[in-house]
Amino acid sequence: MQLTEFRNQALIDFSSEENRRAMESALVRVRGQLGMEYDLVIGDERVRCERKFESKNPSRPSEVVGVFQKATAALVQKAVAGAEAAFNTWSQRSAEERVALLLGLSKIMQERRLELAAWMVFEVGKSWTEADADVAEAIDFCEFYAREALRIGVPQELTPLDSEENYLYYVPLGVGLIIPPWNFPLAILTGMTTAAVVTGNTAIVKPSSDAPTIAAKLVEMVEQAGFPPGVVNFLTGSGSEVGDVLVSHPRVRFIAFTGSREVGLRINELAAKVPPGQVWIKRAILEMGGKDAIVVDTESNLDEAAAGVVASAFGFQGQKCSACSRAIVLEPVYDDFLHKLRQATEKLIKEGDVENGKVNFGPVINDRACESILEYIQTGQQEGRLITGGSRAPRDGYFIRPTIIADVDSKARIAQEEIFGPVLAVIKAKDYEEALQIANDTQYGLTGAVYTDNEDKLVEASRRFHVGNLYLNRKCTGALVGAHPFGGFNMSGTDSKAGGKDYLLLFTQAKVVSRKLRR
Ligand code: NAP
């Protein structure tokens, strides 16, 4: 099978009248489907449960996006057994066969691109552009991993010996548990799921309870693409109820998780325990939170830096693991930068209802997040000086104003803890050396950026700024599949580098076959 070289999907330009109208009609179509009930998918069975839960629109919490089943422990057993049965045949299919199905999935996503984006506007409060970028990334994952699966799907050559023929094969692991966050509900879920299945594993998808509808759409498209029953199973329910049962199951071989530090560490601990009947060491691929910083140097274009910080801090309301939540600014330009930062926030951020294509700043995900962010803002006002924002916006949903708090000490709570909302702490550093030290002084190590025109300082940052994804003279969000393999250090996770050439190997084990040659 010959594929063209991988290229990222271009984003849709919503300033074009035609695209704008197309998105508006996608929103109307999706609105007509809100409130539907979705089943569990276990093998070829559709299952309903007695207990249900609802996914709500964060812009209008009274609006139900979908109704979902609360899976029971008995259904977990059934799903694992089904996925294990499917593994026996799916793992024996050739890489080409699996890749052909994955490319089919990519095609369906391309055809349904605006509809999928519209679901994210309703379910997680993404602006049009953010929602479209999420779908584009999901398509990129399909296309990139399809190519990678072909690359690693052939016998790998080893050092030649005269007396033997030796090859290394990457073989699948078994049944995998896929646990995504709600904030990139299609992209991250698609990335983890397709990586698992294109390498020959089978998967149980346990979506976030804040974004199960998008996940149901993925499972629907997987079926439409022709993946056999049991390869991707769909089990909804609260993480705290079904999560532990799934993670501890002796027949689950690996877990691919993206989410908070707290849940990631719990999964890591549970996965390390060996229950009776388990004959392997479970693999845990864990991508977790961030406390990402942008350093603004004296020798930099402050307007560009301010625009980069605003985009990184307030894109999708600051609810990205890569979001800038600390701006570390050198003393000589501190006041000037703060002024520009405030101006840039007022100019670039358009708050409001994300169903409106002109808006680029919507609600936070739910009432719990809203309360927690407001508490951090209160703490922040004791730890620093409020520059802008600091309150809820007067709307029905979970709207919080973009908030900047200056003069924050680098050890303060809002400078150390992941807030996961539109709150930026601005910290003063006396020189570049201190700025780098402050940048590294958290338990996380996901993304970071530096704005400076000084080559030596850029080199210094490349060497010493300890994060998985470092950006120079650009914003610290918006990693692209293939170009920016993504994953972090320390408490940000196991640095799996999603969208990179090493990623699929995490879903395989290497088997070497050595054959003695007869002479
Ligand atoms: P979360 O609260 O940790 O939830 C993540 C997933 O884990 C959800 O599907 C959740 O299901 C499930 N879960 C909860 N408790 C569980 C348990 N005991 N066992 C198994 N699964 C369980 O995180 P989130 O709020 O969805 O996402 C935000 C976090 O993700 C932030 O910390 C962000 O930085 C991080 N993130 C990291 C990356 C990265 O690449 N490093 C990317 C995106 C997001 P329920 O919803 O049902 O509880």
Side-chain angles (χ1 to χ4, degrees):
M1 187 186 275
Q2 278 287 351
L3 300 179
T4 54
E5 201 182 338
F6 170 76
R7 284 285 177 269
N8 299 103
Q9 292 284 307
L11 297 184
I12 293 176
D13 173 9
F14 290 114
S15 66
S16 127
E17 178 70 10
E18 191 189 346
N19 293 339
R20 201 170 54 73
R21 282 188 190 286
M23 184 63 185
E24 276 164 0
S25 59
L27 285 163
V28 170
R29 279 199 310 278
V30 168
R31 175 168 280 290
Q33 298 167 50
L34 296 184
M36 276 166 40
E37 181 164 350
Y38 297 85
D39 302 337
L40 305 181
V41 181
I42 301 178
D44 55 6
E45 276 186 60
R46 293 270 181 290
V47 183
R48 291 213 168 175
C49 305
E50 238 168 69
R51 294 164 65 226
K52 325 258 180 206
F53 69 97
E54 291 174 340
S55 160
K56 307 264 184 66
N57 180 351
S59 302
R60 270 181 295 281
S62 56
E63 192 165 74
V64 175
V65 177
V67 178
F68 289 86
Q69 318 301 318
K70 283 194 171 177
T72 58
L75 288 168
V76 167
Q77 300 300 334
K78 193 174 163 134
V80 176
E84 199 166 28
F87 178 74
N88 291 332
T89 46
W90 180 246
S91 58
Q92 299 306 313
R93 303 273 285 262
S94 70
E96 277 84 0
E97 286 174 282
R98 295 195 290 252
V99 164
L101 293 172
L102 181 52
L103 293 172
L105 174 63
S106 160
K107 195 153 174 286
I108 296 169
M109 280 189 191
Q110 291 173 51
E111 287 160 5
R112 293 176 63 175
R113 183 157 169 171
L114 289 178
E115 177 216 327
L116 294 167
W119 278 109
M120 281 186 267
V121 170
F122 287 113
E123 190 161 51
V124 295
K126 288 207 172 197
S127 67
W128 292 15
T129 309
E130 292 285 351
D132 176 57
D134 198 312
V135 188
E137 188 178 351
I139 298 167
D140 281 352
F141 276 130
C142 295
E143 294 285 330
F144 187 80
Y145 293 151
R147 285 157 178 78
E148 283 303 293
L150 291 179
R151 183 176 68 81
I152 68 163
V154 292
Q156 308 286 306
E157 288 196 7
L158 299 166
T159 303
L161 292 180
D162 287 342
S163 56
E164 286 180 4
E165 197 175 71
N166 295 327
Y167 284 105
L168 182 148
Y169 301 83
Y170 290 112
V171 301
L173 296 168
V175 175
L177 178 56
I178 310 294
I179 309 182
W182 55 266
N183 71 330
F184 282 89
L186 187 66
I188 292 181
L189 172 61
T190 301
M192 295 196 295
T193 308
T194 58
V197 301
V198 79
T199 43
N201 304 285
T202 53
I204 298 173
V205 167
K206 202 312 279 172
S208 160
S209 300
D210 284 309
T213 316
I214 318 286
K217 297 291 156 195
L218 175 67
V219 174
E220 184 184 299
M221 292 185 288
V222 162
E223 281 182 346
Q224 221 181 325
F227 283 80
V231 172
V232 176
N233 303 276
F234 183 57
L235 216 64
T236 46
S238 127
S240 53
E241 283 181 36
V242 286
D244 287 359
V245 188
L246 278 162
V247 171
S248 320
H249 198 290
R251 303 305 298 166
V252 165
R253 178 65 181 82
F254 68 95
I255 298 133
F257 166 85
T258 308
S260 64
R261 168 190 178 278
E262 187 194 7
V263 175
L265 290 181
R266 174 165 183 81
I267 290 175
N268 194 41
E269 192 179 336
L270 278 185
K273 295 205 171 103
V274 179
Q278 182 174 309
V279 297
W280 45 62
I281 300 168
K282 252 174 220 164
R283 192 175 290 178
I285 304 156
L286 307 166
E287 291 311 315
M288 313 186 319
K291 191 69 199 173
D292 312 307
I294 295 185
V295 170
V296 181
D297 181 38
T298 44
E299 303 173 78
S300 66
N301 179 326
L302 293 186
D303 291 309
E304 272 177 27
V309 169
V310 168
S312 309
F314 300 130
F316 190 31
Q317 298 79 263
Q319 302 171 113
K320 297 182 185 178
C321 54
S322 55
C324 169
S325 56
R326 298 179 296 152
I328 303 168
V329 185
L330 268 68
E331 197 166 3
V333 292
Y334 186 83
D335 291 335
D336 201 7
F337 178 77
L338 256 187
H339 178 67
K340 287 178 186 292
L341 184 64
R342 187 189 175 146
Q343 277 183 332
T345 306
E346 280 160 11
K347 184 169 154 227
L348 299 173
I349 300 298
K350 306 272 178 284
E351 297 173 59
D353 187 335
V354 281
E355 270 185 74
N356 175 346
K358 295 205 172 76
V359 163
N360 63 11
F361 188 93
V364 300
I365 188 68
N366 57 32
D367 54 350
R368 220 169 354 105
C370 197
E371 286 311 310
S372 150
I373 295 164
L374 289 169
E375 266 177 48
Y376 272 114
I377 289 176
Q378 270 193 352
T379 307
Q381 292 190 58
Q382 286 146 26
E383 292 180 328
R385 174 166 57 104
L386 183 69
I387 301 295
T388 187
S391 61
R392 273 186 97 142
R395 279 197 188 81
D396 181 25
Y398 307 119
F399 291 87
I400 296 181
R401 313 281 328 279
T403 298
I404 300 174
I405 299 171
D407 308 347
V408 177
D409 186 89
S410 65
K411 301 280 186 199
R413 272 187 68 202
I414 66 157
Q416 290 290 327
E417 297 174 19
E418 187 183 44
I419 300 171
F420 219 58
V423 183
L424 174 70
V426 187
I427 303 167
K428 194 184 284 181
K430 70 175 187 299
D431 54 26
Y432 192 67
E433 173 59 32
E434 188 181 67
L436 286 185
Q437 280 174 17
I438 294 171
N440 284 337
D441 183 23
T442 76
Q443 57 181 298
Y444 296 105
L446 189 47
T447 75
V450 172
Y451 279 88
T452 179
D453 294 333
N454 181 316
E455 276 305 317
D456 293 341
K457 288 177 178 169
L458 291 176
V459 172
E460 190 69 3
S462 310
R463 228 169 32 84
R464 291 182 41 213
F465 199 152
H466 193 63
V467 290
N469 288 73
L470 178 66
Y471 300 97
L472 305 178
N473 288 321
R474 53 150 287 182
K475 64 180 180 143
C476 66
T477 53
L480 286 175
V481 170
H484 312 120
F486 191 78
F489 300 158
N490 296 346
M491 282 300 167
S492 292
T494 50
D495 192 39
S496 63
K497 289 293 183 268
K501 288 200 168 260
D502 307 324
Y503 191 68
L504 290 192
L505 298 183
L506 299 169
F507 297 80
T508 68
Q509 50 198 342
K511 176 174 183 176
V512 172
V513 179
S514 304
R515 176 179 180 167
K516 187 170 171 60
L517 296 173
R518 293 190 195 282
R519 302 235 171 247

